[in-house]
Amino acid sequence: MEALNIFIKSVFIDNMIFAFFLGMCSYLAISKTVKTSMGLGLAVTFVLVITVPVNYLIDKYLLQPGALTWISDSFANVDLSFLSFILFIAVIAGIVQLVEMFIERYSPSLYSQLGIFLPLIAVNCAILGCSLFMQKRDYSNIEVLSFAFGSGIGWLLAIIGIAAIRERLKYSNIPPALRGLGIAFIITGLMAMAFQAFSGIKL
Amino acid sequence: MSEIAKKKDPLFGPRDMKLIKTPFSKENPIIVQVLGICSALAVTVKLQPAVVMALSVTVVIMMSNVIISLLRNTIPPRIRIIVQLVIVSFLVIIVDQVLRAFVYDASKQLSVYVGLIITNCIVMGRLEAFAMSNKPWPSLMDGLGNGLGYGIILIIIGFVRELFGSGTLWDIRIMPEGYIPNGLMVMPAMALILLGIIIWIHRSRNKDLLEKE
């Protein structure tokens, strides 16, 4: 039950884009059509669901203060958490590379859809941000999975939303200086305001 | 030998000045190149974290530019992204530890966004676009310019949001007693709209930046 709550919370209330601004760069750059943004959103969700649990295990069994006690009790005072940035990003970059090779080998059709986006994802702040939030909050195994999946779906929802709006924007008369980027920001702001309506929900 | 010495630029020539100046307006990393938006919006509820973040990013860009520029001829092109990520995350760890040691409150407020400097596209963008093909000294200047160009936007947004959202500046009360803080300014939505407005103003003053559709 707790896991379901976390899922809903991370999709709507703590949405990666509207509440934490994570992954804004690719969100703005690749939201011109619904089709491509669907591809990117799926790729992000996919990578999140793999990397966050892996980083969770690394955090739990290597980095946290006292995490190394499974080797020997004498390591109880060792705190390696200052290494988390470098290990997390290494895991993300490595897994993205692996996933890319794996998909290319076993599902060429999925690869041709996601292919161009996968390398971009290694430096998408939503992925690293999700791992860092996971480290700050105390989740159990199943909750981590639902947090990662929920964050990915929330990101997907946001990018599809703005892509759909931007497709329609072609037909409206926007002041020339506001066209493109400026209006994209203002729309995202308005969407964020709409999403604030969910913040009253107690889970 | 003397030939090379003559050709050498002065330590702080007009070219260096240009590298520092252009990122402020014409090639601003945030409002023109749209890089590094995530942190720009998240840390600007108050002025102080915005300034701390701007300084940290500037330091990271400068240092990583110099290091990559020194190593540029030895990095194999295929693995350059990983090498860049490792160097940047190494620098970010140092910055994070320094922040925790000396400005603990600000570091608490910045929370995960210090770590997210690693994936800040400005850093990676400058490494790819400039440091990989230039000497260390111009790279340092380029890093300084881009860091400051990023910082100026952060400070503008932080200034507006703190002044109207809490009625204070740098935690000192500015607005008169009767001022009711505008709660909207503190919310994430307003950061996005403010940035949209800054882009609007900037583009109506620089007509050549307008987007053609």
Side-chain angles (χ1 to χ4, degrees), chain A residues 165-187:
Chain A
I165 296 177
R166 282 179 91 171
E167 279 190 357
R168 291 270 154 188
L169 277 182
K170 284 179 206 145
Y171 308 110
S172 44
N173 187 15
I174 306 161
L178 203 56
R179 257 174 223 167
L181 204 55
I183 195 74
F185 271 111
I186 293 180
I187 291 169

Side-chain angles (χ1 to χ4, degrees), chain A residues 133-146:
Chain A
F133 275 122
M134 172 275 297
Q135 195 188 25
K136 293 231 177 250
R137 304 169 187 168
D138 263 340
Y139 286 140
S140 71
N141 303 6
I142 187 80
E143 286 167 7
V144 162
L145 207 57
S146 80

Side-chain angles (χ1 to χ4, degrees), chain A residues 72-120:
Chain A
S72 149
D73 282 338
S74 56
F75 289 128
N77 294 324
V78 179
D79 178 3
L80 293 178
S81 52
F82 67 93
L83 285 176
S84 52
F85 293 156
I86 203 159
L87 271 181
F88 284 0
I89 197 73
V91 164
I92 291 168
I95 285 184
V96 167
Q97 198 87 57
L98 268 180
V99 165
E100 196 184 344
M101 275 149 52
F102 192 81
I103 296 181
E104 191 180 9
R105 175 77 180 75
Y106 290 102
S107 169
S109 63
L110 184 65
Y111 181 75
S112 60
Q113 275 171 4
L114 298 184
I116 40 166
F117 300 124
L118 279 170
L120 267 180

Side-chain angles (χ1 to χ4, degrees), chain B residues 12-28:
Chain B
F12 194 79
R15 192 165 161 264
D16 296 323
M17 202 58 213
K18 195 164 157 267
L19 283 176
I20 295 185
K21 258 165 126 179
T22 46
F24 269 93
S25 166
K26 279 264 145 58
E27 278 172 35
N28 189 290

Side-chain angles (χ1 to χ4, degrees), chain B residues 121-136:
Chain B
C121 333
I122 299 178
V123 181
M124 295 296 284
R126 286 338 285 173
L127 293 181
E128 276 287 299
F130 200 90
M132 284 300 280
S133 51
N134 280 285
K135 289 205 179 83

Side-chain angles (χ1 to χ4, degrees), chain B residues 6-207:
Chain B
K6 257 184 223 161
K7 268 188 195 161
K8 219 173 151 191
D9 287 329
L11 196 58
F12 194 79
R15 192 165 161 264
D16 296 323
M17 202 58 213
K18 195 164 157 267
L19 283 176
I20 295 185
K21 258 165 126 179
T22 46
F24 269 93
S25 166
K26 279 264 145 58
E27 278 172 35
N28 189 290
I30 296 186
I31 59 178
V32 179
Q33 304 178 29
V34 221
L35 300 174
I37 311 287
C38 330
S39 52
L41 299 170
V43 299
T44 49
V45 176
K46 290 252 161 105
L47 195 55
Q48 195 194 3
V51 172
V52 173
M53 186 70 181
L55 286 178
S56 320
V57 171
T58 310
V59 169
V60 173
I61 302 184
M62 282 166 69
M63 305 275 286
S64 58
N65 257 0
V66 170
I67 295 176
I68 289 289
S69 165
L70 285 172
L71 296 175
R72 69 186 187 280
N73 294 326
T74 56
I75 302 175
R78 269 192 74 82
I79 58 157
R80 65 179 195 284
I81 303 274
I82 302 272
V83 174
Q84 289 164 0
L85 277 177
V86 169
I87 289 171
V88 174
S89 45
F90 167 71
L91 290 167
V92 170
I93 290 175
I94 296 176
V95 166
D96 182 47
Q97 299 291 325
V98 169
L99 288 183
R100 277 190 207 182
F102 294 104
V103 278
Y104 188 71
D105 291 337
S107 138
K108 259 267 178 289
Q109 277 175 315
L110 291 175
S111 77
V112 300
Y113 294 98
V114 180
L116 289 176
I117 299 176
I118 300 172
T119 51
N120 192 319
C121 333
I122 299 178
V123 181
M124 295 296 284
R126 286 338 285 173
L127 293 181
E128 276 287 299
F130 200 90
M132 284 300 280
S133 51
N134 280 285
K135 289 205 179 83
W137 179 252
S139 300
L140 182 76
M141 289 299 131
D142 181 72
L144 179 65
N146 277 283
L148 294 177
Y150 168 86
I152 193 95
I153 302 290
L154 248 72
I155 289 168
I156 294 173
I157 301 180
F159 178 85
V160 175
R161 286 181 81 188
E162 185 172 0
L163 184 63
F164 294 105
S166 342
T168 58
L169 276 183
W170 206 271
D171 288 328
I172 299 164
R173 191 141 192 98
I174 298 287
M175 289 297 203
E177 275 306 308
Y179 178 75
I180 301 166
N182 182 348
L184 195 61
M185 279 290 177
V186 194
M187 291 198 321
M190 209 53 206
L192 290 160
I193 294 180
L194 272 178
L195 190 52
I197 292 171
I198 292 177
I199 292 175
W200 188 5
I201 297 171
H202 185 250
R203 291 204 173 165
S204 25
R205 295 174 65 117
N206 297 275
K207 295 285 182 204

